[in-house]
């Protein structure tokens, strides 16, 4: 039986979304009623669509009884997570050709790496890339020559953007085809130690670079549990890919078999077939809540408090931070992956992976087992894939293979989930508490106010932060400078905490999945540029960040103050940032998904 709070949150999402969802479904139904859109194209349209194809491919595409699958790829060869996608289209085409079907690369979407752009001008465009990718996905599918969609994308803004764009063509069956994580490199503990030593000036750049290259060393996603791997876990839990496929290694035989199977299955689900299952039937309030529950139970990236809101809106659903917070109150933490623990995603996969987590959630009545996944039934998502005598099979997942990574039946790592809503006279924010020790979850200290992570870093190096403090970094919201991730703060704040100081962070910027052991009130809304109280703060104001009771307050009287003004020209121009001015003007608040779409 489903937990009452899970049921209640699902019901209120459904009820508040009635008008928006009905409009979405009506639009998708109109598209579906047009039938096989390729058949309605004029001869000239069709000729353009197949001009570059071989004669065999032309014959299959022009045969309206065959399936033609649209591939939207995020391949590039500088992102480790997306480099493995290079050969996927050819593999998919070969598999489908054996069945008499075809596939075409409908389009490519930009795929930037936050790991490359951390602390750099490119990070100011990172969040906006999600909506750009959604538009690029919709444009790729706009040729209307496809019967189903396969999405090749993994990382931070890329996979959410692809599914948002695919929802504009939700009359088509749609699935993600993942690529998997790289092999484990150096330990996460060693990685943190070297970064903190570098921030403290105890080791040089050569030592830092050697460590970083040891951590990020091969094709595949980074192995820590950041936004990229959170995407994969959450989207598998939502039934948007084959069961157990998220964290199988790139280039393995099992990975090749899973890619081939996804192509075969999607080709049998096209409009008009008995197995037809469009994306609009898959992504509803039940699958959305399943994804949120998996997010919380795994201590996933705080970026998803933004992405899931935007994704839901694209499906005609209205999700709020209150929904996420209420779910977090009853969803236990069942997984410990770095930064919530020392293990990485490969250890999680060995312990049971997403099917193992889904099994635990099903035991607790925390997921909708009547949801509709892309492939099969939700019960199938409690099974793991394997190759037996060269044949791909799924086997029911058993008990946790590592109780320190995936909690076994009857135990939890924490009674509540990894993300909590904060609200008070400073506005609303989210905090990731799964990696924060209980003694650090309530911090009351004077404010130290900055407008960039670089200024914080400079103050630390000058010895000006050796005190109890709530570090405030404002004018870093979506409308100000694209809401960059502020990861340069983590070694600095970690060192201050390690030195015995009480320290917390309050910002209208982001931190994603790596906020670590510091209580960090992030995504503060209203942001400073839009009149939020965070823009009134001054050094010395007494702030209280309470991640236990969910409050975020300034205990100093702010009446009579005016908003701090700051020249953001240098954060809004240069390196292409000026091209995103229309997005900064149109973007919604973090709580509404930080999106340019209605």
């Amino acid at each position: 039986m489903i937990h009452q709070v899970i049921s209640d949150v699902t019901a209120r999402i459904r009820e508040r979304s009635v008008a928006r969802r009905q409009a979405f479904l009506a639009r998708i139904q109109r598209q579906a009623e047009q039938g096989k859109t390729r058949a309605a194209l004029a001869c000239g349209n069709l000729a353009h669509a197949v001009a570059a194809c071989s004669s065999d491919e032309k014959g299959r595409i022009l045969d309206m009884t065959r399936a033609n699958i649209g591939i939207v790829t995020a391949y590039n060869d500088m992102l480790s997570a997306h480099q493995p996608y290079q050969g996927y289209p050819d593999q998919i085409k070969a598999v489908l050709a054996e069945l008499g079907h075809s596939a075409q690369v409908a389009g490519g979407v930009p795929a930037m790496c936050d790991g490359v752009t951390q602390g750099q001008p490119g990070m100011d465009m990172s969040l906006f890339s999600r909506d750009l990718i959604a538009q690029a996905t919709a444009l790729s599918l706009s040729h209307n020559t496809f019967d189903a969609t396969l999405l090749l994308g993994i990382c931070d803004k890329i996979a959410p953007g692809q599914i948002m764009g695919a929802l504009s063509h939700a009359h088509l069956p749609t699935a993600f085809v993942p690529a998997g994580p790289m092999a484990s490199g150096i330990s996460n503990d060693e990685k943190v130690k070297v970064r903190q030593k570098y921030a403290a000036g105890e080791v040089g750049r050569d030592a830092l670079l050697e460590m970083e290259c040891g951590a990020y060393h091969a094709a595949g996603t980074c192995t820590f549990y950041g936004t990229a791997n959170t995407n994969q876990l959450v989207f598998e839990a939502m039934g948007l890919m084959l069961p157990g496929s998220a964290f199988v290694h790139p280039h393995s035989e099992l990975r090749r078999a899973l890619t081939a199977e996804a192509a075969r299955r999607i080709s049998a689900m096209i409009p008009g077939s008995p197995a037809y299952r469009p994306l609009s039937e898959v992504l509803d309030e039940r699958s959305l809540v399943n994804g949120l529950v998996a997010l919380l139970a795994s201590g996933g990236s705080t970026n998803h408090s933004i992405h899931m809101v935007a994704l839901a809106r694209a499906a005609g659903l209205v999700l709020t931070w209150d929904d996420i917070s209420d779910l977090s109150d009853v969803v236990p933490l069942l997984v410990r992956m770095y930064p919530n623990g020392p293990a990485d995603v490969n250890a999680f996969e060995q312990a049971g992976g997403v099917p193992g987590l889904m099994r635990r959630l099903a035991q607790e009545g925390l997921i909708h087992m009547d949801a509709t996944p892309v492939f099969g039934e939700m019960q199938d998502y409690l099974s793991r894939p394997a190759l037996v005598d060269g044949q791909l099979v799924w086997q029911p997942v058993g008990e946790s293979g590592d109780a320190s990574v995936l909690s076994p039946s009857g135990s939890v790592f924490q009674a509540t989930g990894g993300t909590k809503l904060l609200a008070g006279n400073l506005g609303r924010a989210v905090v990731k508490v799964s990696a924060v020790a209980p003694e650090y979850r309530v911090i009351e200290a004077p404010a130290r106010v900055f407008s960039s992570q670089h200024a914080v870093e400079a103050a630390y190096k000058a010895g000006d932060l050796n005190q109890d403090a709530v570090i405030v970094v404002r004018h870093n919201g979506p409308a100000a400078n694209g809401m960059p991730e502020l990861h340069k703060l983590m070694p600095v704040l970690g060192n201050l905490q390690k030195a015995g100081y009480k320290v917390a962070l309050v910002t209208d910027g982001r931190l994603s999945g790596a906020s670590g052991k510091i209580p960090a009130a992030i995504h503060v809304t209203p942001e400073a540029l839009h009149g939020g109280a965070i823009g009134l703060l001054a050094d010395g104001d007494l702030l209280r960040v309470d991640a236990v009771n969910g409050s975020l307050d300034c205990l100093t009287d702010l009446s009579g103050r005016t908003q701090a003004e700051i020249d953001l020209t240098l954060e809004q121009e240069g390196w292409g940032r000026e091209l995103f001015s229309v997005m900064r003007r149109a973007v919604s608040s973090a709580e509404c998904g930080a999106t340019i779409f209605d």
Side-chain angles (χ1 to χ4, degrees):
M1 181 178 293
I2 195 76
H3 191 289
Q4 188 60 51
V5 171
I6 307 299
S7 178
D8 291 345
V9 170
T10 306
R12 75 188 189 208
I13 292 172
R14 180 171 57 250
E15 290 162 5
R16 79 164 72 95
S17 305
V18 168
R20 188 181 185 92
R21 181 70 174 177
Q22 286 180 345
F24 166 77
L25 292 176
R27 182 174 75 249
I28 297 306
Q29 182 61 30
R30 288 194 297 272
Q31 293 174 194
E33 288 173 352
Q34 294 181 20
K36 187 179 283 284
T37 52
R38 193 162 72 256
L41 296 181
C43 294
N45 301 141
L46 285 170
H48 279 287
V50 300
C53 298
S54 68
S55 58
D56 286 344
E57 289 173 323
K58 285 181 180 179
R60 290 193 297 271
I61 294 172
L62 296 177
D63 182 345
M64 301 305 162
T65 68
R66 308 290 184 171
N68 188 37
I69 309 304
I71 301 170
V72 180
T73 180
Y75 163 74
N76 65 46
D77 64 6
M78 76 161 290
L79 267 67
S80 63
H82 293 87
Q83 185 272 346
Y85 281 136
Q86 182 176 19
Y88 274 43
D90 287 342
Q91 182 191 356
I92 290 167
K93 290 178 182 181
V95 168
L96 293 175
E98 293 178 359
L99 301 174
H101 302 307
S102 58
Q104 293 175 291
V105 175
V109 300
M112 65 178 294
C113 177
D114 289 356
V116 176
T117 58
Q118 291 292 349
Q120 306 300 320
M123 178 53 72
D124 298 336
M125 297 176 280
S126 173
L127 180 59
F128 292 142
S129 74
R130 184 200 63 199
D131 288 7
L132 179 64
I133 289 162
Q135 292 174 318
T137 301
L139 278 172
S140 297
L141 297 174
S142 68
H143 292 108
N144 285 336
T145 58
F146 309 113
D147 303 300
T149 307
L150 291 177
L151 302 173
L152 312 186
I154 289 175
C155 283
D156 296 16
K157 319 304 173 300
I158 302 157
Q162 284 182 317
I163 197 66
M164 288 168 65
L167 282 162
S168 68
H169 288 69
H171 61 295
L172 299 179
T174 302
F176 277 99
V177 185
M182 68 178 69
S184 300
I186 66 172
S187 73
N188 290 303
D189 284 343
E190 179 65 19
K191 185 164 56 177
V192 173
K193 286 177 184 177
V194 175
R195 286 174 177 171
Q196 290 183 338
K197 286 180 179 180
Y198 178 77
E202 298 173 9
V203 300
R205 179 180 171 85
D206 288 347
L208 180 66
L209 182 59
E210 182 181 1
M211 179 280 294
E212 297 289 4
C213 287
Y216 309 111
H217 62 92
T221 61
C222 308
T223 59
F224 74 96
Y225 193 43
T227 307
N229 286 323
T230 301
N231 283 338
Q232 301 307 291
L233 186 149
V234 168
F235 288 172
E236 183 176 325
M238 293 175 70
L240 295 173
M241 62 180 71
L242 282 171
S245 62
F247 299 128
V248 174
H249 280 291
H251 311 308
S252 67
E253 288 303 311
L254 180 56
R255 172 58 70 200
R256 287 187 60 82
L258 287 166
T259 300
E261 182 70 5
R264 279 191 290 265
R265 289 208 197 179
I266 206 80
S267 69
M269 298 166 56
I270 65 173
S273 71
Y276 174 54
R277 187 175 293 180
L279 179 59
S280 59
E281 291 182 7
V282 172
L283 212 166
D284 63 8
E285 66 277 3
R286 296 168 302 170
S287 64
L288 178 67
V289 169
N290 283 354
L292 291 168
V293 168
L295 167 72
L296 296 165
S298 60
S301 170
T302 50
N303 271 328
H304 285 73
S305 65
I306 298 175
H307 295 327
M308 295 297 277
V309 173
L311 184 158
R313 293 181 70 83
L317 300 169
V318 181
L319 172 69
T320 71
W321 281 357
D322 297 278
D323 297 328
I324 299 173
S325 188
D326 287 352
L327 291 172
S328 189
D329 286 342
V330 300
V331 174
L333 187 68
L334 301 177
V335 175
R336 295 187 73 231
M337 281 188 281
Y338 179 80
N340 306 323
D344 67 14
V345 70
N346 291 311
F348 171 65
E349 174 68 8
Q350 292 167 8
V354 183
L357 172 60
M358 296 294 280
R359 173 181 174 272
R360 288 287 289 110
L361 293 172
Q363 286 177 336
E364 303 292 334
L366 295 171
I367 54 174
H368 293 283
M369 292 301 293
D370 62 343
T372 303
V374 173
F375 302 115
E377 302 174 349
M378 284 307 300
Q379 188 64 36
D380 300 325
Y381 285 74
L382 312 187
S383 299
R384 303 183 72 184
L387 287 175
V388 177
D389 296 328
Q391 298 298 310
L392 180 61
V393 299
W394 272 264
Q395 301 165 335
V397 67
E399 190 56 85
S400 170
D402 187 339
S404 69
V405 178
L406 175 61
S407 70
S409 302
S411 69
V412 301
F413 295 122
Q414 182 177 294
T416 57
T419 302
K420 192 169 184 68
L421 171 68
L422 303 181
N425 62 16
L426 286 179
R428 287 159 66 87
V430 295
V431 59
K432 182 176 177 178
V433 295
S434 50
V436 179
E439 61 267 27
Y440 296 131
R441 294 184 181 181
V442 179
I443 300 292
E444 188 173 305
R448 291 295 310 274
V449 182
F450 302 88
S451 293
S452 77
Q453 60 182 330
H454 310 293
V456 177
E457 187 179 40
Y460 171 76
K461 290 181 177 178
D464 293 338
L465 295 182
N466 295 322
Q467 64 178 95
D468 294 347
V470 176
I471 306 300
V472 177
V473 183
R474 62 192 181 190
H475 292 101
N476 280 254
N481 63 347
M483 206 180 190
E485 291 180 349
L486 308 177
H487 282 290
K488 295 185 77 172
L489 297 175
M490 286 301 96
V492 168
L493 300 185
N495 281 344
L496 292 173
Q497 187 185 75
K498 187 177 179 180
Y501 297 112
K502 295 179 181 178
V503 61
L505 173 68
V506 174
T507 181
D508 48 12
R510 292 186 296 128
L511 269 177
S512 85
S515 53
K517 301 176 181 179
I518 307 301
I522 60 178
H523 309 170
V524 171
T525 184
E527 63 176 284
L529 191 68
H530 284 172
I534 190 174
L536 302 175
L537 296 176
D539 283 350
D541 289 341
L542 187 61
L543 305 187
R544 182 178 176 85
V545 179
D546 187 341
V548 175
N549 297 305
S551 62
L552 177 64
D553 293 292
C554 178
L555 305 183
T556 302
D557 185 7
L558 298 177
S559 59
R561 296 193 190 181
T562 57
Q563 285 284 331
E565 295 186 6
I566 180 172
D567 184 358
L568 292 167
T569 302
L570 293 179
E571 285 73 42
Q572 295 180 345
E573 294 183 356
W575 308 99
R577 290 176 293 186
E578 64 278 4
L579 301 179
F580 289 80
S581 60
V582 65
M583 287 189 163
R584 287 191 293 272
R585 290 193 297 268
V587 69
S588 65
S589 70
E591 188 169 9
C592 292
T595 181
I596 63 171
F597 307 132
D598 177 32

